[in-house]
């Protein structure tokens, strides 16, 4: 998928296994954070929800969710991004 960072770029700029920071921008709809956190947890097969931070824009029109998790490889990063593309309310991933 062209919206995803190339595997080569991920491997050149990150150490695997290691931490990876996902930033998700979305609409401030009910349960968006829960859906995003659950999607990442399920994709990475984690037993507990990863820690996250949440910020809302001043106008309240968007929210930013930041989640740092340990991933084993660049392909795992792609798998998480692909899963997040299916979450209703997600507009942008950084």
């Amino acid at each position: 998928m062209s919206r995803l960072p190339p595997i080569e770029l991920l491997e050149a700029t990150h150490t695997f296994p290691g931490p990876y920071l996902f930033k998700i921008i979305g609409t401030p709809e009910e349960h968006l954070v829960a859906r995003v956190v659950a999607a990442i947890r399920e994709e990475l097969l984690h037993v507990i929800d990863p820690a996250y931070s949440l910020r809302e824009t001043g106008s309240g029109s968007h929210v930013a969710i930041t989640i740092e998790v340990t991933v084993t490889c660049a392909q795992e990063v792609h798998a998480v991004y692909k899963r997040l593309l299916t979450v209703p309310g997600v507009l942008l991933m950084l």
Side-chain angles (χ1 to χ4, degrees):
M1 301 182 84
S2 63
R3 295 175 68 179
L4 302 178
I7 293 287
E8 298 78 20
L9 178 62
L10 290 171
E11 290 174 340
T13 58
H14 293 83
T15 302
F16 297 104
Y20 190 86
L21 190 67
F22 290 94
K23 290 191 176 230
I24 300 98
I25 309 296
T27 56
E29 61 188 63
E30 188 175 357
H31 305 298
L32 175 64
V33 174
R35 288 193 305 263
V36 166
V37 169
I40 292 174
R41 184 193 71 237
E42 291 166 6
E43 190 61 43
L44 297 177
L45 303 175
H46 288 178
V47 177
I48 60 171
D49 288 344
Y52 65 90
S53 65
L54 176 69
R55 285 188 342 195
E56 190 172 313
T57 60
S59 66
S61 60
H62 295 88
V63 295
I65 307 163
T66 303
I67 301 175
E68 185 175 44
V69 293
T70 299
V71 292
T72 60
C73 61
Q75 289 79 6
E76 201 167 58
V77 172
H78 267 203
V80 170
Y81 277 132
K82 287 177 183 176
R83 181 73 172 264
L84 290 172
L85 286 171
T86 69
V87 175
V90 170
L91 301 174
L92 179 67
M93 298 174 294
L94 309 170

